Amino acid sequence: MLPLQVFCGVYQEVSLKKTFRRSHMNSKSLLEEAIKAREKAYIPYSHFGVGAALLDSEGQVHHGCNIENAAYGPTNCAERTAMFSAIANGHQARSFKAIAVVADTEGPVAPCGVCRQVMVELCDLDMLVILGNLKGEIRETTVRELLPDSFGPSDLIKK
């Protein structure tokens, strides 16, 4: 569908093969799923559509899109919509393999701070995160790289 330019090093390519080993998905196909999800966005105020596609451990893809609200605060991002939907459908936190996020931006779009924090909570820190735009550019990273020195479940004192 899109001619993709992958901006990643050897380490990320190796981890990518491991990530998609048991799935028909790859970075390009997961990004194409994010583009499909973006088409569902409810964006009457910003007109800035974002799509996300979350790959679970069983090879199923969960779509997410941003959903705006006139009060702005209740707006939900595409990444959180995909993660929350997967959890609501019975998938375990930290069992996800990859997420792709796409928007009509100059370079590959990056998740907001709130979405990065939710990723720390619900995803493995080394999970692949594929950032893209509608021009076909992508950048691959991990949850850990998106939010270094994060505060997460392991930081809470157990009683």
Side-chain angles (χ1 to χ4, degrees), residues 47-151:
H47 307 288
F48 182 75
V50 181
L54 179 68
L55 180 66
D56 69 28
S57 60
E58 298 169 7
Q60 182 179 355
V61 175
H62 304 268
H63 284 184
C65 60
N66 54 323
I67 302 168
E68 295 181 343
N69 189 286
Y72 296 115
T75 294
N76 203 52
C77 297
E79 301 91 312
R80 285 182 282 144
T81 300
M83 289 182 284
F84 295 167
S85 175
I87 295 289
N89 283 312
H91 295 276
Q92 295 295 313
R94 289 170 289 294
S95 68
F96 307 116
K97 300 300 179 191
I99 190 168
V101 185
V102 69
D104 189 8
T105 50
E106 186 61 32
V109 69
C112 74
V114 173
C115 287
R116 293 173 193 218
Q117 181 62 44
V118 172
M119 285 180 189
V120 166
E121 180 73 25
L122 300 179
C123 305
D124 184 85
L125 292 177
D126 293 318
M127 185 185 81
L128 178 65
V129 180
I130 304 158
L131 310 174
N133 66 11
L134 297 183
K135 294 188 284 186
E137 299 172 327
I138 69 170
R139 182 171 73 91
E140 295 170 347
T141 188
T142 65
V143 173
R144 183 185 318 277
E145 290 169 341
L146 283 174
L147 192 58
D149 302 320
S150 62
F151 180 87

Side-chain angles (χ1 to χ4, degrees), residues 15-48:
S15 67
L16 197 131
K17 288 177 185 171
K18 181 180 173 186
T19 297
F20 296 117
R21 163 176 55 209
R22 297 186 310 154
S23 172
H24 67 283
M25 284 285 143
N26 59 34
S27 290
K28 181 179 177 181
S29 57
L30 195 59
L31 191 63
E32 288 171 354
E33 289 294 321
I35 291 169
K36 289 178 193 175
R38 181 182 174 273
E39 294 169 5
K40 303 170 193 173
Y42 176 73
I43 51 172
Y45 310 108
S46 72
H47 307 288
F48 182 75

